[in-house]
Amino acid sequence: MNFDAARLIQEINDCRRRAEELTSGLTAEQLTRRPLPDKWSIAECLSHLNMTAATVQAFMCKAIERGRQEKRFGDGPFYIGPKGRLLVWIAEPPPKFRLPAPWKIRPPAQIADPHMVLTDFLKAQDEWERQINAAEGLDLARIKIGPPTSPFRARLAAAFPWMMAHQRRHLLQAENVKRQLQSTAGRAVHA
């Protein structure tokens, strides 16, 4: 699998559309209602994506800047590498197994304004797109993101598709929550 900027931009736009459809017309209570006590709400899914974006985008900004300073330029195509393929496979829906979110990117216990999670999500999508454009001309296979000791350290070429797969995973999770809540509400009306 190679890095494909045009495809990633399409995926970002699809994520924007899905998140807008997902939250359209929902109240704050509906956004924060959990289908089960140990499952995330729609707002928690989006909050997790926002927190993940903020963390990973900071690493990516540093990597892009470092790549420019070190003059690591290249034309591609850029292979995401075996570790990148594994990270994308793990993140891609449907989930193959469940991994607990690291504490730094777990949604907060209380979301002050559930409607802001969509606004923040859309801003994160703008930043993903900006970073894809900022990385243009760099050798994305030779630039690494993340701390050297992190098990998630990967090629910059892999980070973008990995994060898009991660978004698809949690958008699907949030869409399933919405379906469950609608199904429960429908049964309550007919009871």
Side-chain angles (χ1 to χ4, degrees):
M1 172 190 268
N2 289 334
F3 173 86
D4 182 343
R7 180 174 173 210
L8 290 166
I9 298 294
Q10 261 183 323
E11 291 176 11
I12 289 168
N13 288 329
D14 185 53
C15 287
R16 283 183 181 112
R17 179 193 54 75
R18 286 175 69 185
E20 287 172 336
E21 287 176 4
L22 174 65
T23 59
S24 178
L26 296 182
T27 66
E29 191 278 327
Q30 290 169 317
L31 288 170
T32 57
R33 188 182 315 151
R34 288 179 161 195
L36 295 170
D38 64 335
K39 301 292 182 191
W40 286 350
S41 68
I42 293 167
E44 287 172 312
C45 291
L46 291 175
S47 180
H48 167 67
L49 290 175
N50 294 341
M51 295 170 78
T52 302
T55 300
V56 175
Q57 288 169 353
F59 286 127
M60 292 173 89
C61 274
K62 288 177 186 171
I64 290 167
E65 185 178 314
R66 190 177 62 254
R68 294 220 178 277
Q69 289 172 350
E70 295 173 0
K71 299 183 181 346
R72 291 195 176 209
F73 302 115
D75 295 327
F78 304 112
Y79 179 57
I80 69 169
K83 187 174 194 178
R85 288 184 54 188
L86 176 64
L87 292 170
V88 170
W89 179 81
I90 289 169
E92 194 68 59
K96 287 87 178 154
F97 48 87
R98 223 176 126 189
L99 294 171
W103 68 268
K104 286 176 68 172
I105 56 174
R106 282 190 195 134
Q110 293 290 320
I111 297 175
D113 185 354
H115 288 103
M116 281 303 295
V117 293
L118 176 63
T119 301
D120 294 341
F121 181 81
L122 296 175
K123 286 179 187 173
Q125 302 319 293
D126 294 343
E127 180 60 14
W128 288 126
E129 192 167 348
R130 188 198 70 72
Q131 287 190 355
I132 288 170
N133 292 326
E136 188 174 342
L138 293 174
D139 186 337
L140 305 180
R142 290 181 47 221
I143 300 169
K144 303 280 186 168
I145 71 150
T149 58
S150 171
F152 299 109
R153 183 173 171 86
R155 297 173 185 192
L156 188 54
F160 291 108
W162 172 32
M163 288 296 102
M164 292 307 106
H166 181 253
Q167 288 195 151
R168 286 190 298 276
R169 178 185 187 127
H170 289 291
L171 285 170
L172 177 63
Q173 178 184 5
E175 290 163 347
N176 287 337
V177 169
K178 185 175 183 178
R179 278 190 284 282
Q180 289 171 342
L181 295 175
Q182 288 172 333
S183 173
T184 302
R187 284 195 304 268
V189 168
H190 291 54

